[in-house]
Amino acid sequence: MSKVSMRVNGRATSGEIEGRTLLVEYLRDTLSLTGTHVGCDTSQCGACVVHVDGQAIKACTMFAAEAEGAEVTTIEGMANADGSLNTIQQAFQDHHGLQCGFCTPGMVMSAAALLKDNPRPSEHEVRQYLEGNICRCTGYHNIVKAILAASGQDVSAIAAE
Amino acid sequence: MPKDHGIGASPKRREDIRFLTGDGRYTDDINLAGQAYVHFLRSDVAHGRIRSIDMAAAAGMPGVVRIFTGEDFADIGGLPCGWCVTDRHGNPMQEPKHPVLAHGKVRHVGDPICAVVAETLSQARDAAEAIVVDIEELPAVIDMKKAVQDGAIKVHDDLASNLCYDWGFIEDNKAAVDEAFKAAHHVTTLELVNNRLIANPMEPRVAVGQWEKGTGDYTLYTTSQNPHVIRLLMGAFVLGIPEHKLRVVSPDVGGGFGTKIFHYAEEAFCTFAAKACRRPVKWTSSRSEAFMSDAHGRDHVSKIELAMDAEGMFTALRTDTYANMGAYLSTFAPSVPTWLHGILMAGNYKTPLIYVNVKAVFTNTVPVDAYRGAGRPEATYQLERVIDKAARETGRDPIALRRQNFITEFPYATPVAVEYDTGDYHATMDKLIEIADLAGFDARLAESKTRGKLRGLGVNCYIEACGIAPSNLVGQLGARAGLYESATVRVNATGGLVVMTGSHSHGQGHETAFPQVVADMIGIPEDMIEIVHGDTANAPMGMGTYGSRSLAVGGSAMVRATEKIIAKAKKIAAHIMEASDQDIELKDGKFTVAGTDKSLAWGDVTLAAYVPHNYPLKDLEPGLEETAFYDPNNFTYPSGAYCCEVEVDPDTGKVTIERFAAADDFGNIINPMIVDGQVHGGIAQGIGQALLEACAYDENGQLISASYMDYAMPRADDMPMFTVDHSCQTPCTHNPLGVKGCGEAGAIGSPPAVVNAVCDALQRAGKNVTHIDMPLSPARVWAAMNDATANEGAAQPAARSSGSAEGRSLGGQA
């Protein structure tokens, strides 16, 4: 066991971990931040996406030890300071961009990373960017719509919400 | 002007707040003090006899609490099957034992052999690696048609054969159907495969078992669509725990799609081991484990024949299906290829004579059970594909051929034992033609051509049967359970109320939609109503969520309970206002006496119920809490018409979905936003089946699609935006809400639309391709176009025997 320290959602954290402990295990098991989910074991599904030093990372692809000293943001750190939903979260609710909610944290984290790099993506660009996030419930229609709406684009022409 | 509250409005989902902020509480988020972790050592061969298990090294490894094998469960019941099908000779199906841990033999890759309980999951895994299991490997039973031949190796040595049942429906009609085929003007025949799929809810299954030494009470936290059913099955049939000593909790569940209906070995193990180890035991499935332990779906090999007269009227229909059961019977497996499939073979058409034969077969594969649609997609796919082929063979327009055969008068008794209450198939077809812009197809076709792409159009109809019921009927059909639903409405003194329902919500938005109904009935804001579900300790016995039944059955129970609440509240109001309860009206949360200006607020009456000072105590008990159980007297029959437009790349065979439209008739709609979302998701799963997904075994029974690297899940860039409409509404006549159910329609209606469209694209390009089996991967489409053999793993070798285009498209050995 060894000690790891990192800032998570603006707070200093530390814990005793094994060398093989993944970042997602540190977040879920050590810090009890269970909003970050595990949907696969081959780094395909994207339910565990978090931000490490501003970059979207699948938290199952990184050892906790690799995040030593890093600034990590999880879904629990995404709401506005007053606790209200941020723009992306609100767009997901407004446009029914989630059903069971399991992939949702990863979707929101990926969407935030996309919009940071590309503030007004096309529908095609959104779909391409989400290649690493699997949703089984929504058929992606309303997720794509929510992300386009969160970028400030008019989605009223897109059929049916 | 759209409504902003109540029935027909689309309020934002209240459950979204916790899901969007990471505050959802899924089963894997539950950690109990002192819990140990279990890792299952699973068979890596499909079929074999266990010679020995050497656990000596593993038992001494760090953190190991105890290692269990099948021996530990020798005195415990096996996993039960909830449906017994009677075969065409009147005999019950063959029903094998299904041990919690493999005993004597392993029967599929993934069959659990040992369960290692340790202080940490890593320690449990490490110890499992040190166990040496000596297995005498036996030939794997994979090909369904070979499996039922005389002398075939048997999956279960104590059964007579690998044939679970040979089912004929309706057996008495068989001779008349055969005669009609002899007299037919034209017969169209199609052999096809309904590809084996894996439901793949994004949340893998989890079970946490707990046993309280002080009280002897057990609790199981599990990812289930129906916690009460698990309590009954596991308590009564597996572990012998009376229901009052067993609580089953299914908190937030990350999708189900059918695969979380069933009772699984891991649930029984964790509950059993919690007592044996005197501490909570937790199991979290990895995705790799899910692929080889979650019940799979579909996997039918069918031959369908359609007889027509000279005018194109359907005169008879005959189908032969081999249905894969896998190695054991999962909870509701036998019902899927039979009752959920056979009764839908009439589709939207007035074909007078129908005969359905199904042979269910045991193989050395993961058990197969209900997956979104369950039997109904298999029926719809066969029917809508053969009609398209028949239209082509006889030079008819596929839409016109469908229309001329539509059922137009309701109620309609089909020749396959069901009675459709309502529907308007021309209306949904008209709507489809409008929203899919069929008028613009030729222009789009021409535009595709300029880019060197082949464009095709596929249209089909579907009908489904939801809210399977009534209980006395399904009992006759072999169900070992009732299919009612329950609701308790508990009104609090201050007027807010809680609905405790047996319907489980795992993405369907019940917490938002159910209050819309109750709020409308009473005339109070939706936020005064809370929905409680997913815990046997605080909801009445209920049958859970599957088969698009929640609103039609669970919602109806909630309406009935609310009606009882309103009736009692009116009596209280009548007493206080000194009027007859017949004269009391409830509107907008206010009780009034007809013809007077007297009124009482909802909250005044609810307070009186719990502070009964001015109250008819002689005639009425205090309190305001009512329960209703609702057992429907028929299925509901949603229907619709779907249209898919594809482009095929002639150089690579890659299919792109360019447009997809769905016109559905779900009867009355409570929350249009949620209904749209359900249809979107269903369509995506149907497109996934049609283009991408194949659960494939090789001839040795190795599952070769057991990760997201190998099993092609639909991704965002595989899907178009969908155009969906549910403005055609013929309300259900026999439930109080007039609703039909919408959860499965998309998955039922979409696969034939996609395949019809691809065949259309190829035919327009002059290729004589009448069918390609799903999934329509580039290799299969290219091979079909080029009269070649696709060289990729076939999901179902039983289909390879035909040397037809169908057979060639499957690849391998045709």
Side-chain angles (χ1 to χ4, degrees), chain A residues 28 39 41 89 99-100 140, chain B residues 13 20 26 29 287-288 714:
Chain A
R28 287 183 57 82
D41 45 12
Q89 291 167 318
Q99 292 183 24
C100 82
Y140 303 100
Chain B
R13 294 199 330 168
L20 281 161
Y26 298 87
D29 303 339
R287 182 58 60 182
S288 300

Side-chain angles (χ1 to χ4, degrees), chain B residues 47-127:
Chain B
H47 195 192
R49 221 172 292 285
I50 301 172
R51 284 202 195 104
S52 65
I53 303 173
D54 181 355
M55 303 183 291
M61 287 181 61
V64 172
V65 174
R66 186 172 160 184
I67 303 174
F68 295 80
T69 69
E71 284 294 325
D72 294 295
F73 289 83
D75 300 329
I76 300 291
L79 302 178
C81 179
W83 200 298
C84 181
V85 164
T86 302
D87 75 6
R88 52 193 287 245
H89 308 294
N91 300 316
M93 67 185 190
Q94 293 204 85
E95 194 169 352
K97 293 191 190 78
H98 187 175
V100 174
L101 296 177
H103 199 226
K105 269 174 94 173
V106 290
R107 296 186 177 86
H108 66 84
V109 169
D111 211 358
I113 302 169
C114 298
V116 183
V117 178
E119 297 294 337
T120 71
L121 181 56
S122 301
Q123 289 169 334
R125 279 193 194 132
D126 290 346

Side-chain angles (χ1 to χ4, degrees), chain B residues 358-379:
Chain B
V358 178
K359 294 176 183 69
V361 184
F362 294 113
T363 60
N364 290 119
T365 63
V366 171
V368 180
D369 206 328
Y371 163 57
R372 200 171 195 168
R376 291 150 288 181
E378 294 91 322

Side-chain angles (χ1 to χ4, degrees), chain B residues 62-267:
Chain B
V64 172
V65 174
R66 186 172 160 184
I67 303 174
F68 295 80
T69 69
E71 284 294 325
D72 294 295
F73 289 83
D75 300 329
I76 300 291
L79 302 178
C81 179
W83 200 298
C84 181
V85 164
T86 302
D87 75 6
R88 52 193 287 245
H89 308 294
N91 300 316
M93 67 185 190
Q94 293 204 85
E95 194 169 352
K97 293 191 190 78
H98 187 175
V100 174
L101 296 177
H103 199 226
K105 269 174 94 173
V106 290
R107 296 186 177 86
H108 66 84
V109 169
D111 211 358
I113 302 169
C114 298
V116 183
V117 178
E119 297 294 337
T120 71
L121 181 56
S122 301
Q123 289 169 334
R125 279 193 194 132
D126 290 346
E129 284 189 15
I131 296 174
V132 180
V133 183
D134 182 15
I135 293 179
E136 175 197 352
E137 213 173 326
L138 300 169
V141 179
I142 297 296
D143 181 325
M144 286 193 281
K145 289 184 180 171
K146 287 184 185 161
V148 294
Q149 288 169 1
D150 288 344
I153 300 269
K154 288 193 287 188
V155 177
H156 294 276
D157 300 340
D158 52 345
L159 297 187
S161 70
N162 292 317
L163 184 66
C164 177
Y165 55 75
D166 178 1
W167 185 74
F169 183 62
I170 295 174
E171 199 61 23
D172 290 346
N173 293 351
K174 187 173 187 302
V177 171
D178 292 345
E179 280 305 308
F181 269 89
K182 284 181 195 155
H185 176 79
H186 183 88
V187 174
T188 296
T189 303
L190 185 59
E191 289 180 56
L192 38 71
V193 174
N194 205 289
N195 42 327
R196 188 181 184 108
L197 302 174
I198 299 176
N200 271 311
M202 292 317 298
E203 177 204 32
R205 289 189 296 117
V206 181
V208 189
Q210 185 180 25
W211 181 71
E212 297 282 350
K213 186 164 174 284
T215 60
D217 290 345
Y218 293 83
T219 303
L220 170 67
Y221 299 88
T222 184
T223 48
S224 176
Q225 301 175 216
N226 31 236
H228 288 90
V229 175
I230 303 306
R231 184 181 64 164
L232 178 62
L233 291 176
M234 185 179 81
F237 296 97
V238 187
L239 299 179
I241 305 169
E243 283 166 281
H244 61 281
K245 302 300 281 182
L246 173 60
R247 175 184 173 202
V248 178
V249 183
S250 298
D252 288 330
V253 171
F257 314 115
T259 205
K260 290 177 182 168
I261 297 170
F262 321 119
H263 175 42
Y264 287 97
E266 295 87 355
E267 295 170 322

